[in-house]
Every structure is written in structure tokens, then in C-alpha cells.
Amino acid sequence: AQSVTQPDIHITVSEGASLELRCNYSYGATPYLFWYVQSPGQGLQLLLKYFSGDTLVQGIKGFEAEFKRSQSSFNLRKPSVHWSDAAEYFCAVGVDSYDKVIFGPGTSLSVIP
Amino acid sequence: EAGVAQSPRYKIIEKRQSVAFWCNPISGHATLYWYQQILGQGPKLLIQFQNNGVVDDSQLPKDRFSAERLKGVDSTLKIQPAKLEDSAVYLCASSLDLGTYEQYFGPGTRLTVT
């Protein structure tokens, strides 16, 4: 069955430090992969997506993610975190031609000033 | 461009009562989704509409949940009767059409069942 795991429930980083959020997926075919961010009291916002091609994907707000098929991973990175990046981050995989998306459990990011 | 609108933003009810949520998608978006997000979990798809037809409702607890999108625009999700485990945030999302995977989410309705 298709699934998404995010090993880190909560991560704390200092402002200005680099960030990597881990995501692993289970899916038989070539996956469509996504990262969403959810700020407190807000809906989800798409940060970036991978469909095919270059395995390093650039997104909004300075985020990037790298697809590694051999590791079934799609980790999110940012070279320098800002206090406004504190939020919940969800990795997701698209599983059919009807745009069905399965979300991971999320990683909560705290940023220390 | 206006985003996805949802109301109410918060609702507190007692178990066995009924409740309804409303969603107005982005203008022109054919696909509409309702998700349930329980605290500490990722969103789970409840039902997906393409215009006014249902694409996927496999995870909708049909004995108590119902949803409609009669004119292919706005949508309502109803729970009757509510259970304690229905406490969650209910998110509505829309996308221009199938095949885009570009879902735009509303702010959600936080339901507390006591």
C-alpha cells in the first residue's frame, strides 16, 4: 500500500542554520511527490512538487527538495532558516490519475531566534 | 484572486448532534476535496468531487458523513450524528482540474465534539 513516513515528529533549529526534513515514501510506480507547509491556523500551502526530470526541485520561500529513487526519499532542505519558517511540514505522494494525494504525519519545525 | 473560503472557522458541538461545513472553492476550479486532519496527523481525504460528480469517497464514513456539490461550485459536508472521534480540522481544497495536482487549501474548520 502507498504510504509516506516522516521520521522526525519535531525539529528545532536556530535561525540562520540549515534545515533538512526527511521524507520516505512507499509507492510501486514513479511517484509524484510534494511538500506542503501549514502555518498555525492556516490551510496547507504547496512548497514544491516533483513529477519527473531533474531530481533536485526548487520551490517557493527558498526551499528545495531532492528525489532519490534508490532510497525512496524526498527530503526538503533550506540553507538558512528564518523565524517565519516555523510551521508544520507535510510530505505527500500522488497515487493515482485522479490527483489523490496521501500525506505523511508531518514534522513540526520550531525556530530559535 | 480569492482563495478557498470555508465557514465556520470553529464549531463546538455535543456528541450525537449534527453539524455542517461549507466550502466555496476558487472560481473556475472543477475539482474539490474535503480532508479530515486529526491533531498530530496529516490530512486524510474524505471525498473528492469533479464538478458535481463524486470521484472518490472511499474513506468517507457514509453512515454518518455526507457531502454534496449540487451546482458544481460550493460544497457542504455534514456529520450526523457526531462522535467524539470526529474532533478534527476539516479542510477544503480545490484545483483547476484533474491532472494538475495543484491543490489550494482553505483555512479549515476546527470541530470539537464534547
Side-chain angles (χ1 to χ4, degrees):
Chain A
Q2 307 96 344
S3 66
V4 178
T5 56
Q6 294 180 246
D8 304 305
I9 296 174
H10 184 256
I11 284 181
T12 300
V13 299
S14 297
E15 191 169 17
S18 63
L19 171 71
E20 182 169 30
L21 302 182
R22 297 182 291 165
C23 171
N24 293 97
Y25 66 90
S26 173
Y27 185 59
T30 301
Y32 294 167
L33 296 163
F34 311 86
W35 275 99
Y36 283 84
V37 60
Q38 185 177 34
S39 299
Q42 303 296 316
L44 279 76
Q45 182 183 21
L46 181 66
L47 284 175
L48 47 79
K49 62 183 178 183
Y50 171 80
F51 280 7
S52 64
D54 192 345
T55 56
L56 186 62
V57 181
Q58 301 297 319
I60 62 172
K61 304 185 180 186
F63 286 93
E64 66 177 25
E66 185 171 13
F67 169 56
K68 293 185 177 180
R69 185 186 299 275
S70 62
Q71 297 177 21
S72 298
S73 70
F74 189 56
N75 294 349
L76 181 72
R77 301 194 293 248
K78 187 170 184 178
S80 178
V81 171
H82 188 262
W83 63 267
S84 60
D85 293 325
E88 190 85 15
Y89 290 82
F90 294 94
C91 182
V93 61
V95 297
D96 65 20
S97 58
Y98 295 103
D99 291 19
K100 182 174 181 177
V101 174
I102 293 179
F103 288 86
T107 296
S108 177
L109 173 66
S110 296
V111 180
I112 300 173
Chain B
E1 177 181 81
V4 176
Q6 290 188 248
S7 68
R9 291 295 308 277
Y10 306 92
K11 190 74 177 178
I12 300 173
I13 62 172
E14 296 182 351
K15 59 183 179 183
R16 291 187 289 275
Q17 286 187 323
S18 63
V19 64
F21 312 127
W22 175 81
C23 172
N24 190 27
I26 293 172
S27 178
H29 280 198
T31 314
L32 185 146
Y33 312 77
W34 282 104
Y35 290 88
Q36 180 191 57
Q37 185 178 19
I38 293 173
L39 187 64
Q41 299 181 18
K44 182 186 80 172
L45 180 68
L46 291 176
I47 189 167
Q48 176 183 350
F49 293 94
Q50 179 68 7
N51 296 308
N52 60 354
V54 175
V55 174
D56 185 345
D57 64 357
S58 58
Q59 297 196 82
L60 186 74
K62 298 179 186 63
D63 58 334
R64 298 184 301 106
F65 285 64
S66 64
E68 60 183 16
R69 192 185 185 200
L70 292 177
K71 297 182 179 179
V73 181
D74 57 350
S75 175
T76 56
L77 175 69
K78 297 179 181 178
I79 308 175
Q80 182 179 10
K83 293 185 176 181
L84 295 176
E85 58 261 36
D86 298 331
S87 293
V89 175
Y90 291 85
L91 296 166
C92 179
S94 70
S95 65
L96 187 60
D97 207 342
L98 292 176
T100 65
Y101 280 100
E102 292 270 0
Q103 296 187 30
Y104 295 85
F105 285 79
T109 297
R110 181 177 297 279
L111 173 67
T112 302
V113 183
T114 63

